[in-house]
Amino acid sequence: EKLITDYFYSWQLKHHQNFLSALELCHWHGYLFNENIQLRLNLHAISVASLSLSKAEKFTSLPQLLEQEVLSIELFLKIVFQLYFESDESRRRKVDINIDHAINLMSADVFVRPMIERISTIVLLRYLKMDRDNCSQSQSDDNMYLHYTDSLLLASLLKKFDRERCVRYKSTVIIALNGILSFTEVQLLHNIEWIVPLMSKLILCSDIGVRASVQSVYTNCINPLLLQLTKR
């Protein structure tokens, strides 16, 4: 993230493209690893066998790449929203940048808009599913399996991981919602078709902080736009 902060205005668009591609690959590697329960169980079994851990120590955790999965997509969203934010000409005039980078930013509009829609949709719908799944599970059974079979212990660990994953994903959701809040009226019109359906789904999530951000999107973006349309 410090690399982007230091070199954002000196990079050409192709540098941003390459870095974003690397970040997305990093994210999908972490996501697919975490989704592959059997692989994680196999790696855990190999670790247990090689280290000769006691039964109590065996089930403390399963291999996971949660930090890689979340941090890579967080940085991805920050970059694409910043590029989109500064691709707007009225904002670009307020930033002291050279003409070459101004040309890059003008091109960034077409480049990042599909990325914002695609990744924001994936992240928001994924978080919503995690939230619903976790709400359907009992929040009080974390330690009830301590004296039961190995399979139940593993099931308990997976539930704990799922809840931790949902909590970690909240930051990516907030980044996406804050990015939408930064849209100009023109940018909002270009993206409204995918924003509104997502907001109507996300308002049902259990987290009050996410719901408050969704309310801000409605209050500051969607509702004013609807009022303008009714006056025409």
Side-chain angles (χ1 to χ4, degrees):
E1 187 167 355
K2 188 178 185 301
L3 181 69
I4 292 298
T5 303
D6 292 343
Y7 295 101
F8 182 85
Y9 290 109
S10 61
W11 277 10
Q12 296 179 12
L13 190 57
K14 64 180 181 181
H15 299 136
H16 288 291
Q17 290 174 319
N18 291 338
F19 192 66
L20 287 169
S21 295
L23 283 175
E24 187 171 0
L25 286 172
C26 186
H27 165 73
W28 283 110
H29 176 263
Y31 171 78
L32 292 172
F33 180 90
N34 290 331
E35 286 289 293
N36 194 331
I37 305 300
Q38 190 58 55
L39 174 61
R40 295 168 63 199
L41 290 175
N42 291 343
L43 290 173
H44 180 264
I46 292 171
S47 175
V48 169
S50 63
L51 296 176
S52 300
L53 300 176
S54 68
K55 185 173 181 179
E57 295 172 314
K58 286 181 184 179
F59 300 102
T60 56
S61 64
L62 292 178
Q64 47 89 1
L65 294 175
L66 186 55
E67 291 244 340
Q68 176 178 320
E69 177 185 351
V70 174
L71 294 180
S72 56
I73 208 65
E74 279 184 5
L75 185 53
F76 183 100
L77 286 170
K78 288 177 182 178
I79 294 170
V80 292
F81 275 113
Q82 186 174 356
L83 283 169
Y84 195 49
F85 180 90
E86 298 193 24
S87 70
D88 178 74
E89 186 178 358
S90 62
R91 287 166 169 165
R92 195 163 56 245
R93 291 197 197 101
K94 300 174 184 178
V95 182
D96 184 19
I97 58 177
N98 61 49
I99 187 63
D100 291 333
H101 193 72
I103 293 172
N104 282 330
L105 289 175
M106 284 188 283
S107 305
D109 185 331
V110 178
F111 164 61
V112 299
R113 194 197 309 170
M115 284 187 166
I116 289 174
E117 176 181 354
R118 178 170 59 86
I119 297 299
S120 295
T121 300
I122 289 172
V123 165
L124 296 180
L125 290 181
R126 189 182 290 169
Y127 173 79
L128 188 60
K129 183 181 184 303
M130 291 178 188
D131 182 70
R132 287 174 175 170
D133 290 346
N134 286 326
C135 286
S136 67
Q137 297 174 0
S138 169
Q139 299 292 316
S140 60
D141 64 352
D142 288 349
N143 299 312
M144 68 177 292
Y145 300 117
L146 291 178
H147 305 292
Y148 284 61
T149 65
D150 290 358
S151 61
L152 288 176
L153 282 164
L154 289 170
S156 178
L157 284 176
L158 290 172
K159 287 181 180 180
K160 288 181 181 180
F161 175 77
D162 288 342
R163 286 199 282 272
E164 181 186 357
R165 198 182 193 186
C166 184
V167 170
R168 293 294 304 275
Y169 257 81
K170 177 182 174 181
S171 60
T172 67
V173 172
I174 298 300
I175 290 170
L177 294 175
N178 287 339
I180 292 170
L181 281 168
S182 73
F183 284 175
T184 64
E185 183 178 333
V186 172
Q187 289 174 335
L188 183 62
L189 285 169
H190 286 160
N191 295 275
I192 197 68
E193 289 186 4
W194 64 267
I195 291 175
V196 172
L198 281 175
M199 295 305 103
S200 65
K201 292 182 176 71
L202 203 57
I203 198 68
L204 298 175
C205 80
S206 65
D207 188 272
I208 190 170
V210 173
R211 293 204 307 271
S213 293
V214 172
Q215 182 185 38
S216 295
V217 172
Y218 272 108
T219 302
N220 298 299
C221 298
I222 298 173
N223 292 349
L225 187 60
L226 290 174
L227 288 173
Q228 285 185 32
L229 293 174
T230 58
K231 293 177 181 178
R232 292 178 181 177

